[in-house]
């Protein structure tokens, strides 16, 4: 079931996220986060959803302000993370679709996705969900002693499909 995240989810969310922090370049954070930090991020997000099954959080998605300047007030950056080993089962699609609905209800018109490269599965998911690739930023991150590129994706929430 997909639902709004609550405070008691923070420990499981931190566990999911810290796998990415410690083992991948998917996120540019380099230090593990605590449940308390996740709680603060939940409070600051526009919307924060979890995919729960049998009391276990298997993934989460959230929308955050894309930029603090007023002209960006209708644009959000979406992020999604799934528990290690459950990718490819459709949960990411369901989470993102629910995130689109929640964000649109808040007045968001455009969603931005930033994907550290290489990440073919994330790029495929974004394309499947109606995002369009709008650019690549070369060497904008540095993690695990290597430069990392990112691709930037954009999806309109004003139209039914992309």
């Amino acid at each position: 079931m997909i639902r709004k995240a609550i405070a008691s989810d923070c420990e499981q969310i931190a566990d999911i996220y810290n796998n990415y922090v410690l083992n991948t370049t998917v996120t540019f954070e380099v230090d593990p986060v605590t449940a308390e930090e996740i709680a603060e991020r939940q409070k600051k997000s526009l919307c924060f959803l979890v995919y729960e099954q049998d009391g276990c959080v298997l993934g989460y998605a959230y929308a955050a302000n894309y930029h603090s300047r007023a002209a960006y007030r209708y644009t959000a950056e979406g992020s999604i993370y799934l528990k290690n080993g459950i990718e490819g089962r459709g949960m990411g699609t369901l989470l993102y679709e629910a995130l689109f609905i929640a964000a649109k209800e808040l007045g968001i018109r455009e969603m931005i996705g930033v994907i550290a490269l290489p990440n073919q599965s994330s790029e495929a998911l974004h394309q499947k969900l109606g995002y369009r690739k709008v650019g690549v930023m070369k060497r904008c991150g540095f993690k695990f002693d290597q430069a990392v590129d990112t691709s930037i994706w954009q999806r309109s929430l004003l139209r039914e499909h992309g």
Side-chain angles (χ1 to χ4, degrees):
M1 135 177 91
I2 296 175
R3 59 169 174 76
K4 288 183 179 179
I6 56 176
S8 61
D9 297 326
C10 292
E11 192 69 44
Q12 291 183 75
I13 291 168
D15 288 343
I16 291 169
Y17 186 60
N18 285 332
N19 175 64
Y20 291 92
V21 171
L22 295 171
N23 301 305
T24 76
T25 58
V26 167
T27 177
F28 285 177
E29 285 198 69
V30 295
D31 295 319
V33 298
T34 65
E36 293 77 21
E37 288 172 298
I38 294 295
E40 285 302 311
R41 292 175 190 192
Q42 279 184 15
K43 290 176 190 173
K44 292 178 183 177
S45 70
L46 299 170
C47 48
F48 204 116
L49 306 173
V50 297
Y51 188 107
E52 177 193 8
Q53 189 173 38
D54 300 324
C56 183
V57 174
L58 299 178
Y60 68 96
Y62 65 92
N65 289 316
Y66 174 67
H67 202 290
S68 62
R69 293 191 176 116
Y72 289 109
R73 69 188 172 278
Y74 301 115
T75 302
E77 181 177 345
S79 295
I80 184 170
Y81 294 93
L82 299 175
K83 190 171 185 168
N84 188 37
I86 64 153
E87 302 87 350
R89 299 181 191 177
M91 289 179 212
T93 298
L94 294 173
L95 266 169
Y96 242 141
E97 288 172 344
L99 187 66
F100 295 152
I101 292 167
K104 190 172 181 179
E105 288 173 356
L106 295 171
I108 299 301
R109 299 175 182 176
E110 300 292 323
M111 291 289 287
I112 304 297
V114 180
I115 303 170
L117 299 175
N119 193 335
Q120 291 176 331
S121 60
S122 186
E123 287 196 304
L125 174 64
H126 282 74
Q127 186 171 20
K128 171 184 165 183
L129 292 171
Y131 279 85
R132 62 186 171 84
K133 190 174 186 176
V134 295
V136 173
M137 295 191 308
K138 296 289 191 181
R139 300 169 304 283
C140 63
F142 196 82
K143 188 172 179 182
F144 303 134
D145 296 322
Q146 64 182 356
V148 182
D149 299 344
T150 58
S151 59
I152 311 301
W153 295 71
Q154 182 177 0
R155 183 191 194 276
S156 174
L157 298 183
L158 297 176
R159 298 184 301 262
E160 184 65 26
H161 297 288

